[in-house]
Amino acid sequence: MPDLDRRRFLGAAATTAAASQLGLLGFPRNSEAMTGTLTDDARQTGSGPDIRPFHVSFPEADLTDLRRRIEATKWPERETVSDESQGVRFATTQKLARYWATDYDWRKVEARINAVPNFITEIDGLNIHFIHVRSKEKNAMPLIVTHGWPGSFIEQMKIIAPLTNPTAYGGKAEDAFDVVIPSLPGYGFSGKPTAPGWDPPRIARAWTTLMRRLGYKKFVAQGGDWGNAVSEQMGLQAPPELLGISTNMAATVPAEIGKALASGSPPPASLSADERNAWDQLDFFYKKGLGYANEMALRPQTLYGIADSPVGLAAWILDHDARSYALIARVFDGQREGLTRDDILENITMYWLTNTAVSSARLYWDNRTTARKGFFDVKNVTIPVVVTVFPDEIYAAPRSWAERAYPKLIHFSKLPKGGHFAAWEQPELFVREQREGFRSLRSQLGDAN
């Protein structure tokens, strides 16, 4: 594996150009969007005239076609080993497909999506979808939360109520947040860029534009995976409104460690236990977990198969990370572990119905062509940073590395459980971390918002 691919495995943001009117976002599998004058709900969120309400309702024919395609899957033979070393196991995929085709109910997801205020606004020539829920509490802290791949805004829906209505979920009124959850360009209901250029720095600028458009004079940002990349770029750009960022997939790898990993050198003898654990996790990921990212960074357009086959798409998404795959496999074996079968299929079905398997993959390509540093390399963010470490993330950032990476580290927490999809898997822990992590910045809000 070339050093470039090891160090810069997450590549590429799909890019500029305008997705047309709301029901015409270019999806072969269409959603019907309601547009027009602002509703009372839209006015209550502080939306401006260039922000339109959004409602999702996929035609029944799309769901019928999905089930037909699942049932018509041309299956390969099962793996020739008794573990996951050859990829997503035959039995796991068949369990998923059987449930998806017979028992899964997408309409329940649509109802949950439509139960919160959804909007579309055009930024830099592209339609951006986002959820915006204001708290009823005074002086709520505005928070923009960004998902990653293979995720969507669905990941963060479990945290909306606890963050905006803390007194109903074990918190105090002064813990309240206003929550903004956008869909990345090329993902979910956001427009699909038609030219290169939508990399994390550009998305970061768009998110700042969005928060300003919503009327926020002070806010904070949070993310993991691509959400971390975007949030860190916001931190590097340091708009005056941004008070701090929070990450559950921090970029803390020191330059000398990154260089040693890329060259295949042995781990330094001086590493602490936590640092050696991080080394081992990264070493495993760079050697055995980068196949999906390399393909999407180098040749995303080649992935026609995952746009044409729902089972192919599901397997591709399941296999993106060994720890996440192991959790998902256990879920389809009947164990809960923070996610349910419906949780997993909600996200995969979102990719299928919006036909965003390839458009989302281009984010890896665009990032690869513009990034100057690897995904986990230190970026020199100098604004306040909150770091939450979940043990089953791709790597668990050690405190020692986090303190070097972020000179204004205001909160560090190492949690006992959880993985890559933190808000989705462990929403209670995730919410607690945002409350505690950003508490010291609340005094800077004043009456700004």
Side-chain angles (χ1 to χ4, degrees):
M1 180 185 304
D3 289 352
L4 177 65
D5 294 335
R6 288 188 174 191
R7 302 285 307 283
R8 300 180 182 181
F9 71 94
L10 288 174
T15 85
T16 51
S20 27
Q21 294 302 315
L22 223 34
L24 303 172
L25 293 176
F27 305 147
R29 297 181 281 273
N30 290 312
S31 60
E32 299 170 359
M34 294 172 58
T35 59
T37 36
L38 290 177
T39 63
D40 289 340
D41 283 344
R43 292 190 183 92
Q44 288 170 8
T45 64
S47 305
D50 45 3
I51 294 175
R52 295 101 71 192
F54 179 85
H55 176 92
V56 58
S57 178
F58 286 92
E60 188 62 32
D62 286 3
L63 302 179
T64 300
D65 177 67
L66 169 59
R67 289 188 287 269
R68 178 189 64 79
R69 287 170 180 260
I70 296 169
E71 291 168 350
T73 299
K74 184 176 181 179
W75 292 96
E77 63 285 347
R78 68 180 61 250
E79 61 277 359
T80 59
V81 294
S82 58
D83 56 25
E84 292 80 25
S85 60
Q86 292 183 350
V88 181
R89 300 184 72 171
F90 185 82
T92 301
T93 313
Q94 286 214 315
K95 288 174 186 175
L96 179 150
R98 190 177 304 115
Y99 183 78
W100 202 4
T102 58
D103 297 322
Y104 176 70
D105 185 359
W106 167 259
R107 296 301 185 196
K108 291 180 179 178
V109 190
E110 282 189 354
R112 287 208 318 277
I113 295 171
N114 290 326
V116 296
N118 286 255
F119 302 94
I120 294 281
T121 191
E122 185 179 304
I123 301 175
D124 198 9
L126 193 70
N127 276 334
I128 299 297
H129 162 260
F130 64 98
I131 290 171
H132 182 204
V133 182
R134 283 191 183 271
S135 174
K136 295 179 181 179
E137 303 292 348
K138 284 187 61 178
N139 299 318
M141 174 176 275
L143 168 67
I144 183 166
V145 186
T146 309
H147 66 84
W149 187 94
S152 68
F153 68 90
I154 285 176
E155 285 179 56
Q156 284 90 23
M157 289 190 69
K158 293 179 183 179
I159 64 174
I160 295 173
L163 288 174
T164 58
N165 186 16
T167 57
Y169 292 87
K172 301 176 181 178
E174 55 266 32
D175 291 328
F177 290 86
D178 287 356
V179 176
V180 179
I181 306 172
S183 295
L184 289 167
Y187 289 67
F189 301 119
S190 283
K192 298 178 181 181
T194 58
W198 277 96
D199 57 4
R202 186 172 182 178
I203 298 170
R205 291 191 293 271
W207 279 193
T208 297
T209 297
L210 174 60
M211 296 302 279
R212 288 171 176 165
R213 190 170 293 178
L214 292 172
Y216 291 123
K217 297 177 182 177
K218 298 292 181 183
F219 63 88
V220 293
Q222 197 285 331
D225 194 83
W226 283 118
N228 173 71
V230 172
S231 298
E232 288 208 347
Q233 287 298 323
M234 293 176 76
L236 289 171
Q237 293 163 10
E241 299 91 345
L242 184 63
L243 298 176
I245 65 171
S246 169
T247 174
N248 54 278
M249 189 172 157
T252 69
V253 178
E256 69 274 13
I257 297 297
K259 183 177 180 180
L261 282 164
S263 67
S265 300
S270 61
L271 295 180
S272 69
D274 281 350
E275 291 168 348
R276 178 57 191 266
N277 177 63
W279 170 285
D280 291 342
Q281 290 175 319
L282 288 165
D283 189 49
F284 174 86
F285 182 68
Y286 289 148
K287 289 177 178 176
K288 299 184 178 181
L290 271 181
Y292 75 95
N294 285 336
E295 183 66 16
M296 292 195 292
L298 295 169
R299 310 283 285 180
Q301 194 63 35
T302 299
L303 298 172
Y304 295 96
I306 64 174
D308 184 62
S309 166
V311 169
L313 173 65
W316 185 259
I317 286 176
L318 262 59
D319 202 30
H320 87 285
D321 168 37
R323 293 178 182 85
S324 294
Y325 165 63
L327 180 150
I328 289 168
R330 292 194 295 270
V331 169
F332 278 94
D333 282 337
Q335 301 176 43
R336 173 68 184 260
E337 297 206 36
L339 295 177
T340 67
R341 293 180 297 180
D342 282 4
D343 284 331
I344 294 160
L345 287 172
E346 285 172 7
N347 199 49
I348 297 172
T349 306
M350 170 67 71
Y351 276 82
W352 175 261
L353 292 174
T354 56
N355 195 20
T356 48
V358 173
S359 60
S360 63
R362 292 195 191 104
L363 180 53
Y364 288 76
W365 187 91
D366 243 347
N367 187 69
R368 175 181 168 271
T369 63
T370 60
R372 294 184 178 181
K373 291 190 175 184
F375 193 85
F376 295 129
D377 290 348
V378 174
K379 308 297 190 302
N380 301 313
V381 176
T382 58
I383 69 168
V385 178
V386 173
V387 173
T388 302
V389 177
F390 290 85
D392 291 326
E393 183 51 270
I394 290 174
Y395 90 107
R399 179 188 287 270
S400 57
W401 291 1
E403 289 172 344
R404 290 176 61 184
Y406 306 115
K408 291 185 180 178
L409 182 67
I410 58 173
H411 178 85
F412 180 93
S413 184
K414 183 178 177 181
L415 300 184
K417 59 182 177 179
H420 189 68
F421 301 101
W424 205 23
E425 298 172 33
Q426 302 296 336
E428 291 183 8
L429 293 176
F430 183 93
V431 167
R432 185 192 75 189
E433 284 298 299
Q434 306 322 306
R435 291 173 181 170
E436 295 180 1
F438 285 127
R439 191 165 286 150
S440 65
L441 300 181
R442 287 185 177 270
S443 62
Q444 298 181 45
L445 285 174
D447 297 321
N449 299 311

